[in-house]
């Protein structure tokens, strides 16, 4: 079946799609570690070259994923241990930060809860003589491309490093508010790879860009697609419908997309799947992320 | 196919489920009206007797539904015309309100955006010598059943009428933020019918209860279910799989429920489908509802 | 000089007015303690009898004041030590709390920053099977007297104890956000002493009421009055104007009140003096108070 | 008496100080108009040359003040008429705006209520292909001088005009939330005149800057000063103390400043006088200002 390219911002999920298909990918290295008695899992995906870039549809660089169910809990000890882990992974990517001028950027829309993670983290960043913090808002609010906005401030303030915080979209609901992704490859919103007006990266800004993201939503289309795939899988297991799977594989992407549209389209806009307690989740996440950034920079 | 009882708070949607199956329901009357050149559709479902109650799984009484795509738009003229329609339907259900003491109750959690509609409406209610307005919060915030909370205030203040505003769950995404339901039957949250501790109704409080609700979320399980149904429908249309539909009808509710759970469960909590611009929607809806209530009571 | 009765909610400030005048008050006991190396000062004013009540214009009972400049700082260690002190003083007044059902009430208007302390504390109270938490709002929002509102819930839920949190007005700016007052005498808003419709106390509710308050504003009239008094004091010190003080003492309250009104009246409403960073202060205070209450009750 | 230079952001108030002293100022023109049956008063102060600049301590240009008690009321008709007046005065200063690219800037701290006017106006600005809107925050939040921040965006986006919205400080409480000042002279926060790092003006940015401000606070020191002046004035009227006024005039600025400090200093930070209902006021003002700007630009 031609795959519908379901959106994920997590390199880990892109990698998992291949693993399911038992594909080894040249140019992509995978390392796994567990800390805190196994409660926290750290996975590093390194995309080494162009072949890896193409396979992963993500730019070359390091993608560190911290997975911890504790992110959803209110246990202070667990939170502290996640915060410390995040701080340490962050410091590895920052490398030598002595004397660095750092611009912390909180991407997203402060008035849309699942998208407000970046702006809320910015509120808690400790400003110092060489630390700047801004939440530029989204284009619908400002009229400016976010990347242009940041480009302007970088030219004026000449920081040595950008740390960008953003809410992400995941492929699977169990990622929501349990996973933190850190990377040193910059941010290419949507289909923005190679689009200089939209890319926030070393290539366009001339300084390293470390991004920290947490998935807070799954696209509703993804859930609908998963539901259909799951059903096909179950049905194909019975003798009567074993031809179903191959039949579905012949259904072209457009037909499947039409089905999904029929279910979601009438709402007349993008639909997201999000946990009931997303407001509480974003509040907790913004404390963990800002604490870790403050600790890493001071 | 054994139906999975997908949650809807809209009598109109319950009625539609039957219409699809070409069932006439005794004890249930349906009236339709269009105003504003057809832009606003008013449907009244009257459940007359116990037979209707059983078929609709909702208590006896009047359910008025106002449907208007204009609810999502920022057109002032359209909004005003919806506000006026709501005010008029509200006045019909209130009947003679001269000298009445009215308690307006905003149900829901002010700190969870899709659930904040009630509390936000309360903020805009014009308090008068005989108009009270409260947003009691939810049990997780207060430790009290909402119905007990309201019962206590009714005993103290002796109002003649309650108007309760609440965010609802719908079956279909195209209902979200386009539909207002008004009823005079009280509110029975969840499976709360007949549960005196939870019911907010004339039966439990001794005074008429008019409820106004707008669906702001669809349960994610509903979307997954719809996706599966849609796929079966499409597949059954081809000769190779025509036995699929009857086969699915033999799949028992539990099996299907297991499939849905496998997709959504890992998230470890209730998942909702909601529009990307829900914060903006709830803000607009709270203005329309509060304006209409203020106009109806003054 | 006839004193203009400048409003203070702090028993400590009422006591200080007398101390300045070198008056010993029968029926009023004063105890002072310092903890945390002197950084935290605990003053207990005990009003023992009717004579004390009359002198202090406050009902009989215990008034504990915790003073700590650290309340304004962001030092985690200092905050923790204030939180612990508050918890301990609270436990002394609660006495035996085993098995008690407790209703925590956050008084004030959540939409007016200096008055939002109570509602913000409520947001952080940990609800348990015997702990309830409500923020009833103010009469302008609900149409109900706050005391009647609480009375209704007390009748319904039958708690054994009320803890009421409120923002206070102080006489002196140096009290703002540095002082916590705890008392076991209930709350009599404004001139509400003896007014059963307004009083929140054991007398009206039948159960003990412990109140926790922090001054967040000074009435602007108080500042104007202080400015005039200070000037008179300075001028009277010089030979040329030594008759000024006695002359002012003959100026009646009404004349002075007129002067104050001329300066503040044109604003057409109550004016408050408040620190520039009041939003930040209220946020910090609500964490300290809610932490202390949660610790005292669990 | 050496005047303590009490801070005011209103040119009208600076002018009034001279009027009291019966001084005619060369280089300063004053025009008054009334509209809406006298409910709205429009005063234009034109500073024509360097002599005027020196006398007024404000840069050359037009200062239009709209005074209307209706700003505080909830009367829709009055609000609409103020909005229209503001729009028209704004259009006069914008001059020919056809095809202009406009950057609307909301100055101030969104998390401190009286200072949040600018950011709240920005939330309601209608973005178009040639209209940008930003709320840069304050230096304590971002680590950057606001003027540098704006300079960076101006270089990147090349707008033809800036409209800057800000909350102001007034000299008199009756100005609070009743007065709108529009000027075409840019903004020089504090003692920032001539300080290129802080000035937001045509001189530093190369494009016209129109500023719109509403006073939302009075410095507490101002109120204390006024209280003392008023008392001296009253006392000097009696024969016994007629030498008081001249005596006070000999009191040097430093002594008076010390008195004020003794009253306010202990609070350990800037203190403001603000109306009790400032949250409501700022909400209303942000609607009027954003409506007027949207109407003027479309």
């Amino acid at each position: 079946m031609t795959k519908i390219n379901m959106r994920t911002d997590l390199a880990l999920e892109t990698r998992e799609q291949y693993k399911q298909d038992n594909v080894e990918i040249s140019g992509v290295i995978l390392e796994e570690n567990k800390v805190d008695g196994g409660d926290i899992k750290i996975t590093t995906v390194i995309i080494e070259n162009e072949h890896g870039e193409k396979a992963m549809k993500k730019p070359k660089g390091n993608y560190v994923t911290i997975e911890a169910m504790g992110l959803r809990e209110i246990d202070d000890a667990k939170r502290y241990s996640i915060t410390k882990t995040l701080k340490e992974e962050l410091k590895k990517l920052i490398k030598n930060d002595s004397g660095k001028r750092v611009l912390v950027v909180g991407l997203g829309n402060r008035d849309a809860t699942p998208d407000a993670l970046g702006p809320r983290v910015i509120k808690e960043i400790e400003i110092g003589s060489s630390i700047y913090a801004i939440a530029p808002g989204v284009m619908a609010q400002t009229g400016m491309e976010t990347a242009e906005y940041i480009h302007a401030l970088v030219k004026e303030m000449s920081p040595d490093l950008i740390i960008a915080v953003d809410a992400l979209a995941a492929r699977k609901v169990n990622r929501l508010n349990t996973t933190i992704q850190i990377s040193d490859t910059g941010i290419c919103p949507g289909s923005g790879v190679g689009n200089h007006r939209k890319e926030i990266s070393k290539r366009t800004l001339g300084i390293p860009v470390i991004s920290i993201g947490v998935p807070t939503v799954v696209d509703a289309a993804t859930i609908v697609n998963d539901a259909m795939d799951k059903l096909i899988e179950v049905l194909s297991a019975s003798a009567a419908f074993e031809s179903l799977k191959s039949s579905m594989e012949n259904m072209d992407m457009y037909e499947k997309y039409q089905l999904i549209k029929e279910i979601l389209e009438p709402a007349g806009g993008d639909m997201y799947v999000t946990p009931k307690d997303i407001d509480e989740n974003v509040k907790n996440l913004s404390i963990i992320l800002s604490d870790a950034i403050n600790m890493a920079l001071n």
Side-chain angles (χ1 to χ4, degrees), chain A residues 224 228 254-267:
Chain A
V224 169
M228 291 179 173
Y254 181 75
E255 281 177 273
K256 202 176 178 194
Y257 182 69
Q258 284 306 108
L259 282 182
I260 296 175
K261 260 181 64 172
E262 276 179 52
I263 291 167
L264 295 174
E265 186 83 318

Side-chain angles (χ1 to χ4, degrees), chain A residues 37-281:
Chain A
D39 279 356
I40 300 176
K41 189 176 155 195
I42 305 169
T43 311
T44 307
V45 175
I46 306 169
I47 302 182
E48 289 188 309
N49 53 30
E50 273 182 45
H51 186 269
E53 282 195 327
K54 229 165 158 181
M56 298 287 289
K57 293 190 195 74
K58 297 205 176 297
K60 228 166 29 174
N62 300 289
Y63 298 85
V64 181
T65 311
I66 299 170
E67 293 169 85
M69 292 307 291
L71 269 170
R72 280 203 199 121
E73 294 166 35
I74 327 186
D75 180 317
D76 279 345
K78 280 187 185 165
R79 277 201 201 168
Y80 180 70
S81 125
I82 296 168
T83 305
K84 235 185 72 194
T85 305
L86 175 53
K87 179 205 74 177
E88 275 156 25
E89 294 300 324
L90 209 44
K91 289 198 88 155
K92 284 186 209 162
L93 289 188
I94 295 178
K95 286 154 198 169
N96 175 21
D97 69 337
S98 60
K100 269 186 187 161
R101 291 156 64 90
V102 183
L103 173 62
V104 188
V105 179
L107 300 168
N109 180 347
R110 88 183 66 232
D111 298 319
T113 309
D115 202 26
L117 180 63
R120 295 222 193 147
V121 166
I122 289 304
K123 276 184 73 166
E124 308 298 335
I125 294 300
E126 286 163 22
I127 299 306
S129 63
S130 59
I131 297 173
Y132 311 113
I134 61 154
V138 295
M139 200 185 172
Q141 296 172 314
T142 63
M144 300 174 218
E145 289 287 355
T146 303
E148 290 177 306
Y149 197 112
I150 292 169
H151 186 239
L153 293 177
V154 166
K155 272 199 292 185
E156 185 84 17
M157 312 308 299
S158 307
D160 305 303
L161 171 70
I162 286 180
I163 296 178
V165 182
D166 200 6
L168 307 178
R171 276 284 289 117
K172 301 273 178 214
V173 289
N174 63 340
R175 291 279 170 218
L176 296 184
N177 309 318
T178 61
T179 305
I180 303 172
Q181 176 175 277
I182 324 168
S183 86
D184 57 5
T185 62
I187 292 179
C188 316
S191 58
V193 187
N195 182 338
H196 281 233
R197 278 187 61 232
K198 294 197 172 172
E199 204 176 299
I200 300 163
S201 68
K202 185 165 187 176
R203 197 155 48 117
T204 55
L205 297 171
I207 53 170
V209 175
I210 292 174
S211 60
I212 308 174
V214 179
T216 58
V217 294
V218 172
D219 214 292
T222 305
I223 296 283
V224 169
N225 179 72
D226 286 358
M228 291 179 173
D229 284 355
K230 176 67 78 176
L231 184 62
I232 299 298
E233 190 191 310
V234 171
L235 291 172
S236 316
S238 87
F241 305 112
E242 60 187 12
S243 66
L244 193 59
K245 196 156 187 178
S246 62
S247 167
M248 279 302 288
E249 274 160 19
N250 295 324
M251 188 187 222
D252 72 14
M253 195 163 63
Y254 181 75
E255 281 177 273
K256 202 176 178 194
Y257 182 69
Q258 284 306 108
L259 282 182
I260 296 175
K261 260 181 64 172
E262 276 179 52
I263 291 167
L264 295 174
E265 186 83 318
D270 290 344
M271 303 295 292
Y272 282 147
V273 177
T274 203
K276 198 183 170 182
D277 49 359
I278 180 70
D279 296 69
E280 190 69 17
N281 287 335

